[in-house]
């Protein structure tokens, strides 16, 4: 039986700022409520929303911990009321609304997935945020189907690399954009069909060259002035799915093009959605993606790992934009 201490080391900044505000502190170990699991964290993924939260631009939703961290992997060490007793002692990966940068974290049981032996804890911690996001937006909101072509911006980011892996696993063709010839080369190695250096090439012209009739789906993390350019890349009946607004949330919308091509514009934000919604995504992933994970046929792209105490270095590394794939904190 695991002995659970009363306190733990966590990264819990009391003020917004640069990476230097991410210093180890002591916090109480949380107690699981109904339907929750207490997880002894082995690894925690680092994501761009964590950087935004640290900078004071993305506050946690009501009820979420102030400790950052949206995805974890570790061992279940305590159960809240109503939780399945068989989960105790099991290795799981979990999507959480916060709390991942710590030695212990809470997760709703419905947002946890068993870690198969084919994955390390670092790999498992790098999966939930990107898996839930790409699956729910590309396949559920975007209705991606085998044989279709998708354009994804940020092709070497955590989201981008996961989109490449899932596209190849489920019969899609994928075009990505990236910020250098080296990143384009890496995207092609990971499995992208085409990679466009957006700093030196007009991605709209390149997409039209590759797919003269347009792509079926655009998965966009950029927003702002990219939106009309994205719509120009879409085929008739195309779908545009927005998941972030790095270049701004205010856009100029060419309605004539939308009407003429009969386009669908949609988007979503995952963190604030309720447990029932996230559980439904988890269930879909267990049916569709977990078998690939269990067979070792799908693994996340890991760029770098840092000890929990070096969370500031992990954020600085992610912010400099040179990474390919995921950055992960090792906790245990």
């Amino acid at each position: 039986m695991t002995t659970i201490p009363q306190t733990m080391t966590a990264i819990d900044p009391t003020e917004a700022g640069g990476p230097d505000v991410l210093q180890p502190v002591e916090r109480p170990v949380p107690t699981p409520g109904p339907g929750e699991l207490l997880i002894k964290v082995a690894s925690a993924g680092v994501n761009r929303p964590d950087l935004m939260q640290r900078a004071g631009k993305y506050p946690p939703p009501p009820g979420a911990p102030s400790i950052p961290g949206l995805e974890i992997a570790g061992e279940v060490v305590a159960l809240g009321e109503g939780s399945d007793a068989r989960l105790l002692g099991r290795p799981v990966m979990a999507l959480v609304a916060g709390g991942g940068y710590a030695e212990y974290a809470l997760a709703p049981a419905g947002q946890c997935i068993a870690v198969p032996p084919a994955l390390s804890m670092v790999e498992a911690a790098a999966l939930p945020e990107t898996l839930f996001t790409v699956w729910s937006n590309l396949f559920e909101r975007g209705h991606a189907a085998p044989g279709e072509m998708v354009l994804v911006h940020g092709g070497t980011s955590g989201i981008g690399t996961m989109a490449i892996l899932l596209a190849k696993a489920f019969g899609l063709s994928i075009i990505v954009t990236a910020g250098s010839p080296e990143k384009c080369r890496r995207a092609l190695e990971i499995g992208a069909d085409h990679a466009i250096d957006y700093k030196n090439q007009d991605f709209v012209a390149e997409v039209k060259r590759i797919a003269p009739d347009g792509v079926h789906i655009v998965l966009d993390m950029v927003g702002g002035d990219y939106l009309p350019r994205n719509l120009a890349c879409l085929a008739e009946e195309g779908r545009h799915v927005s998941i972030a607004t790095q270049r701004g949330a205010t856009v100029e919308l060419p309605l004539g093009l939308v009407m003429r091509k009969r386009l669908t514009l949609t988007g979503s934000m995952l963190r604030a959605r309720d447990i029932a919604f996230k559980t439904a995504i988890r269930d879909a992933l267990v049916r569709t993606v977990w078998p690939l994970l269990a067979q070792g046929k799908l693994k996340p792209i890991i760029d770098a790992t840092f000890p929990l105490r070096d969370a500031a270095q992990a954020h600085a590394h992610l912010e400099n934009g040179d990474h390919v794939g995921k950055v992960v904190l090792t906790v245990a």
Side-chain angles (χ1 to χ4, degrees), residues 227-228 231 251-256 258 265:
L227 185 126
L231 299 189
V251 302
E252 183 174 324
L253 180 62
L255 283 176
V258 172
L265 278 66

Side-chain angles (χ1 to χ4, degrees), residues 1-2 37-43 72-78 87-93 103-105 115 121 332:
M1 181 68 66
T2 301
L37 310 177
L38 178 65
I39 297 170
K40 188 177 190 300
V41 180
S43 301
I72 58 174
E75 177 190 351
V76 178
V77 294
L87 294 174
L88 196 62
R90 296 284 184 89
V92 298
M93 50 184 142
E103 292 180 308
Y104 292 85
V115 177
M121 282 298 192

Side-chain angles (χ1 to χ4, degrees), residues 79-227:
L79 307 172
E81 181 182 351
S83 299
D84 187 345
R86 292 173 296 181
L87 294 174
L88 196 62
R90 296 284 184 89
V92 298
M93 50 184 142
L95 180 75
V96 293
Y101 292 15
E103 292 180 308
Y104 292 85
L106 297 176
Q111 294 172 206
C112 296
I113 300 175
V115 177
L119 291 180
S120 69
M121 282 298 192
V122 166
E123 291 169 332
L127 282 168
E129 174 71 7
T130 54
L131 263 183
F132 277 66
T133 298
V134 175
W135 184 266
S136 63
N137 286 286
L138 183 57
F139 292 91
E140 294 185 347
R141 301 199 70 80
H143 304 291
E148 292 191 318
M149 179 170 282
V150 57
L151 169 65
V152 177
H153 293 297
T156 54
S157 67
I159 292 289
T161 54
M162 181 53 64
I164 293 171
L165 295 173
L166 288 181
K168 303 318 294 180
F170 290 92
L172 304 176
S173 296
I174 183 166
I175 306 169
V176 302
T177 64
S180 70
E182 173 61 20
K183 284 194 170 187
C184 287
R185 183 186 66 79
R186 289 287 290 117
L188 294 171
E189 288 176 351
I190 292 164
D193 295 285
H194 305 275
I196 300 168
D197 178 357
Y198 69 85
K199 291 184 178 179
N200 295 299
Q201 296 173 289
D202 177 352
F203 75 79
V204 177
E206 286 299 304
V207 169
K208 288 183 177 179
R209 179 184 64 80
I210 296 164
D213 293 331
V215 299
H216 300 92
I217 308 165
V218 174
L219 182 65
D220 181 54
M221 297 175 268
V222 185
D225 60 354
Y226 264 46
L227 185 126

